[in-house]
Amino acid sequence: MAIPKHIAIIMDGNGRWAKAQGKKRTEGHKEGVKNVRSIAIYANSLGVKCLTLYAFSTENWKRPIEEVDYLMSLPKVFFHAYLKELMEKNIKVTMIGDINRIPDEARKIFLDAIAKTSKNTGMILNFALNYGSRDEIVKACMAFAKDYKAGLVDTLTEESFNDYLMTAGLPDIDLLIRTSGEERISNFLLYQLAYSELIFRPEAWPDFNKQSLDACLEEFEHRSRRFGGL
Ligand code: V0D
């Protein structure tokens, strides 16, 4: 089986999952957190090098205040429950996104998990938090302009532009998965997804299980075989 080096997932459909079960949206998010653990552990066991998870977009701030507050409590819930296991499995936590606009407590929790796992050499579990791709590209352009003006660089290439993005140093994304039936990229990793396979799955994120990931990997293998055979 051809295992993608870098998989990115848009974890959509927690609210819809909850509604379908007659539960509150927050219960969908709670279930979504458990699934982050399960899919991360499974991806690591398969030999995936990097898993990027889109947990919160800049647009999510427009949700009702109670829901945003609940979302902000999830890093604590997640790392309190699973940081020990992530350490045991040698998983390294990183993040991309505008960390400055994240509430203090959530930021502290993430920075602590990032610091504690920084020496781990297994899979990179990369959280996209308060991330927007256009924002990232504009910031990269500004950073380049600064370096150019300072005389540190005199040219820009597709390759060197990568170094200005928040994903600098991570392998190229081989596979993007979006759950819950929507077939859009929604301002996620626009530059990085140029050559990625895109797979849209019908199930809501809490229902996306190991079998779902297996099905995606099988589809990925079919597509890369076809591509390789040309
Ligand atoms: C669980 C997606 C937002 C499904 C939605 C890892 C997975 C809900 C955040 C978040 C999670 C919290 C603080 C912050 C930025 C983003 C989040 C986790 C899980 C824990 F500053 N959603 N979300 N964090 N899920």
Side-chain angles (χ1 to χ4, degrees):
M1 172 91 84
I3 298 294
K5 268 194 192 162
H6 188 171
I7 303 175
I9 306 182
I10 301 175
M11 305 179 292
D12 200 3
N14 298 289
R16 181 211 277 196
W17 178 91
K19 200 174 171 193
Q21 316 258 323
K23 292 177 174 160
K24 282 184 265 164
R25 288 178 62 83
T26 50
E27 291 182 71
H29 294 314
K30 191 173 161 192
E31 208 56 34
V33 167
K34 287 192 211 157
N35 207 35
V36 168
R37 178 230 161 237
S38 152
I39 294 298
I41 299 292
Y42 186 51
N44 180 54
S45 77
L46 293 173
V48 172
K49 296 276 171 259
C50 182
L51 179 66
T52 293
L53 299 177
Y54 201 14
F56 198 67
S57 79
T58 40
E59 286 103 64
N60 282 9
W61 295 102
K62 294 168 197 153
R63 297 207 177 159
I65 183 94
E66 315 84 58
E67 189 175 344
V68 173
D69 281 351
Y70 186 79
L71 289 168
M72 288 306 128
S73 75
L74 294 181
K76 193 172 180 175
V77 171
F78 178 79
F79 289 114
H80 186 79
Y82 307 128
L83 185 57
K84 187 162 168 273
E85 190 180 11
L86 297 177
M87 284 302 292
E88 284 163 8
K89 300 255 154 69
N90 198 24
I91 292 171
K92 177 175 172 160
V93 176
T94 60
M95 67 158 290
I96 55 173
D98 188 355
I99 197 169
N100 295 319
R101 284 196 40 221
I102 284 173
D104 282 354
E105 205 203 355
R107 183 173 51 231
K108 247 183 66 197
I109 298 273
F110 265 101
L111 291 178
D112 178 67
I114 289 166
K116 284 193 171 129
T117 62
S118 67
K119 299 255 160 57
N120 290 354
T121 55
M123 188 182 79
I124 294 169
L125 178 58
N126 182 38
F127 288 96
L129 303 173
N130 197 26
Y131 171 88
S133 185
R134 288 183 173 182
D135 171 66
E136 175 190 36
I137 291 169
V138 169
K139 285 200 170 91
C141 291
M142 287 300 291
F144 169 76
K146 210 173 154 211
D147 283 357
Y148 185 87
K149 206 174 163 195
L152 295 170
V153 294
D154 64 357
T155 188
L156 185 63
T157 64
E158 289 185 13
E159 271 304 294
S160 70
F161 189 68
N162 264 313
D163 300 338
Y164 291 100
L165 297 171
M166 294 166 178
T167 49
L170 300 179
D172 284 341
I173 297 168
D174 307 298
L175 172 61
L176 171 84
I177 300 165
R178 181 170 185 159
T179 62
S180 201
E182 301 299 337
E183 303 193 350
R184 290 188 299 278
I185 302 298
S186 301
N187 202 21
F188 188 45
L189 303 169
L190 299 176
Y191 190 84
Q192 297 90 332
L193 290 172
Y195 294 104
S196 313
E197 294 296 340
L198 311 178
I199 297 183
F200 301 99
R201 296 283 301 183
E203 61 280 54
W205 172 247
D207 289 329
F208 184 90
N209 56 21
K210 289 181 185 182
Q211 287 74 25
S212 314
L213 185 58
D214 285 341
C216 292
L217 295 180
E218 209 147 291
E219 172 65 19
F220 175 80
E221 181 162 67
H222 281 142
R223 291 191 199 175
S224 19
R225 267 219 206 102
R226 256 179 271 146
F227 181 71
L230 284 177

